[in-house]
Amino acid sequence: MNLTFKTAMRAGLSALTFLSAAISLSATASAQQQTAPQGWFKVCDKQDDNEVCSIRNIMTANTGQLITAVAIIDVKGKVNRKFMQVSVPSARLVPPGILMQIDGGKGSKLDYAVCMPDLCIAELALTDGIIASLKKGKEVVFTSINFQRAPNPIKMTLQGFTGVYDGPAMEQSKLEGAPAPAAGRNAEEGRGSPQEA
């Protein structure tokens, strides 16, 4: 196996693992009164000869249950790769994937990369055009199809996205000690009821 491919796979799996860990952390956060920051935030880490930065937004119900988590991952160094991962609760129809629409425009399909008992993660390779649309946009909607064949559109504001994307990463100490958001605020912004998931 090619060394570059191994490094790319390791960076991708590391990002996937970190996103899963962040989601698991947010699920138990309500008991500990700590969770991921509200809205868009950026974290960076050094892995081998690569810098891996991810811009994230994690929406949870007031119970701590995942509604939707987004990570835009930028790997620079030996490997250069930009991709998006979107996580939704499990019990989704796999073939349709997740549809992403920015400001009601044409949708982009994200295919599921992996499903676990508590969540499914879909991925999309990012282009400069998609990044530009996210920076200019006001809202992005991620629609997955649940096991009852009902669409579950989740709206996520793009307010603050450009500043976070172009700005510095959050210090790890601030991420670990972030206070919990107001109960239910993230869920209520996305849609009416977490039970619809």
Side-chain angles (χ1 to χ4, degrees), residues 24-171:
S24 296
L25 176 68
S26 70
T28 58
S30 59
Q32 299 173 351
Q33 293 300 309
Q34 289 185 355
T35 189
Q38 217 168 9
W40 295 99
F41 63 100
K42 180 178 187 177
V43 293
C44 294
D45 191 24
K46 197 85 166 146
Q47 297 177 9
D48 295 328
D49 293 330
N50 298 296
E51 180 178 30
V52 179
C53 289
S54 64
I55 294 87
R56 303 179 193 158
N57 195 332
I58 300 171
M59 295 176 69
T60 58
N62 58 359
T63 61
Q65 176 188 1
L66 170 72
I67 294 175
T68 300
V70 177
I72 295 170
I73 301 160
D74 190 2
V75 183
K76 291 181 182 172
K78 264 189 174 178
V79 175
N80 291 299
R81 182 176 178 226
K82 282 185 190 176
F83 60 102
M84 174 186 283
Q85 290 181 336
V86 177
S87 299
V88 295
S90 59
R92 303 292 144 178
L93 293 183
V94 174
I98 297 174
L99 182 68
M100 174 183 71
Q101 289 182 286
I102 301 167
D103 292 336
K106 183 181 177 195
S108 298
K109 181 184 176 192
L110 288 84
D111 291 316
Y112 288 109
V114 65
C115 282
M116 296 176 254
D118 58 340
L119 62 93
C120 289
I121 301 171
E123 283 193 1
L124 174 71
L126 289 176
T127 63
D128 291 339
I130 293 172
I131 296 292
S133 293
L134 289 166
K135 285 181 170 185
K136 287 187 232 170
K138 294 186 182 343
E139 176 182 85
V140 60
V141 178
F142 297 100
T143 304
S144 62
I145 309 295
N146 70 18
F147 70 96
Q148 297 170 327
R149 300 188 182 279
N152 291 124
I154 302 297
K155 295 177 183 180
M156 191 173 279
T157 182
L158 289 169
Q159 182 179 354
F161 174 82
T162 301
V164 171
Y165 187 90
D166 293 334
M170 177 179 273
E171 292 177 28

